[in-house]
Amino acid sequence: MCSCVLVFLCSRGSPCDEGESADILLDVSIPDSPEPKLQRTARQHPITFACAQAIVITGFLSSSSVISCHGTGTKMEITPGKQLTLEMLKEARDTVMNSPLGVVNTPLIPLSQTALPLDVTYNLYIKMENMQRTGSFKIRGVANQFARRPKGGHFVTMSAGNYGKSFAYASKHYGSRGKVLMPETAPATRSSVITSFGVEVERMPTTLLLSAVERCVQEDNMTFLHSYDDIDLIAGHGSLGLEILEVIPNPDVVVLCCGGGGLLAGVAAAIKLSNCNSTMIYGVEPEGACTMYTSFIEKNPVSMDAKSIAAGLAPPFAGAITFQICQQYVEEIVLVKDDEIKAAVSTLYRAGIVVEPSGAAAFAAISGNKIPDLKGKNVVVVLSGGNIGKDELSNFPD
């Protein structure tokens, strides 16, 4: 096992003071290695020490999952934690499906059993996570995440809505206090749903989310729960992949949306670790929020000023854990335009299927012929969420 020290360097290249904006270098010492020390940039965008500390605790900066850290000032020692395994995914599946939160094994239906007007040359199956408890797949990861956290905790998270809704639902059930930091681009209806569960919502520009996390951790002694880059959360999302395999044991192609990458990472790992090595897995992102797509090109998790009608797919950065898993198990990240997402929402709605923009991105890639070489194959597309209000639907084509 290697030991790691995070050294926070300010723009002048010297160790920074606590609270000062810094870039982060990960100094890794590996016993018995010919090269005793390896250095790499862990994050490319400026970040303050306290905020990094909060994120490291949840595993955001590690090359695997980080389960412990300690240190003060400008250095922090961390120890690598759990790698995602099939055993962990199966254990998480049991936790999720036996959760008191009431997670649903959602239908996986063939295209022929819908009114969708698609003329395809392959066998298309649709996983209906828009019918999931709290309206999206997020409850899967939350069920596993909260089951492994102390009851009655005081938690803070960042979310455009769907994770926040599941987080609030679980907080009420487990008697935890919570706050959701929400980008101001998220629909206002998401805030009211979350507050109905007794959880506070604070809206702000996306660029201020990290500093707000820092404030909550430092000033209010809250524990940060990551909305996508958390190994327990990812394992919980993997339950969806195992459900697919129960119906279609060896699918040829699986297509999912990708925001921070939690769903994509969990499902991809569950399928590939179940010996479905030939299954081609594609993630779909909006063109204006292509963090994972760009991370694949840069070979490192990147941050960006993400903007899209699919607010749930527009996080400020790609996850470090999710990037590592996706890089290992995902074939390609495909991009779709906002107009294509809008058209997909409308097409689904006309067929009696209510799906939000973030939940329709994968279907947009399918209906727009963005996924290659599908003829004659068994293809699964995931509709990941259905949290959309009547006022929002009025903005979409008839």
Side-chain angles (χ1 to χ4, degrees), residues 23-45:
D23 293 325
I24 301 165
L25 295 180
L26 181 59
D27 186 3
V28 185
S29 299
I30 305 176
D32 303 321
S33 170
E35 299 181 8
K37 293 199 176 211
L38 304 172
Q39 282 196 330
R40 68 176 178 85
T41 301
R43 296 296 306 169
Q44 292 184 329
H45 66 281

Side-chain angles (χ1 to χ4, degrees), residues 102-121:
V103 181
V104 178
N105 185 334
T106 53
L108 179 63
I109 60 175
L111 175 66
S112 60
Q113 293 182 13
T114 75
L116 288 165
L118 296 186
D119 184 17
V120 298
T121 58

Side-chain angles (χ1 to χ4, degrees), residues 12-27:
R12 63 181 179 270
S14 58
C16 68
D17 296 324
E18 186 167 346
E20 186 176 4
S21 183
D23 293 325
I24 301 165
L25 295 180
L26 181 59
D27 186 3

Side-chain angles (χ1 to χ4, degrees), residues 116 118 124 126 255 344 347-348 359-368 381-383:
L116 288 165
L118 296 186
L124 181 62
I126 304 170
V255 186
T347 298
L348 289 161
F363 183 80
I366 286 287
S367 59
V381 62
V382 178
L383 305 181

Side-chain angles (χ1 to χ4, degrees), residues 24-87:
I24 301 165
L25 295 180
L26 181 59
D27 186 3
V28 185
S29 299
I30 305 176
D32 303 321
S33 170
E35 299 181 8
K37 293 199 176 211
L38 304 172
Q39 282 196 330
R40 68 176 178 85
T41 301
R43 296 296 306 169
Q44 292 184 329
H45 66 281
I47 193 169
T48 62
F49 173 81
C51 185
Q53 186 177 42
I55 295 172
V56 167
I57 291 172
T58 66
F60 180 74
L61 291 173
S62 67
S63 60
S64 58
S65 171
V66 177
I67 55 173
S68 66
C69 67
H70 65 275
T72 58
T74 59
K75 288 191 177 183
M76 182 187 308
E77 295 183 4
I78 60 176
T79 56
K82 300 173 289 186
Q83 293 281 359
L84 195 59
T85 64
L86 183 59
E87 181 181 359

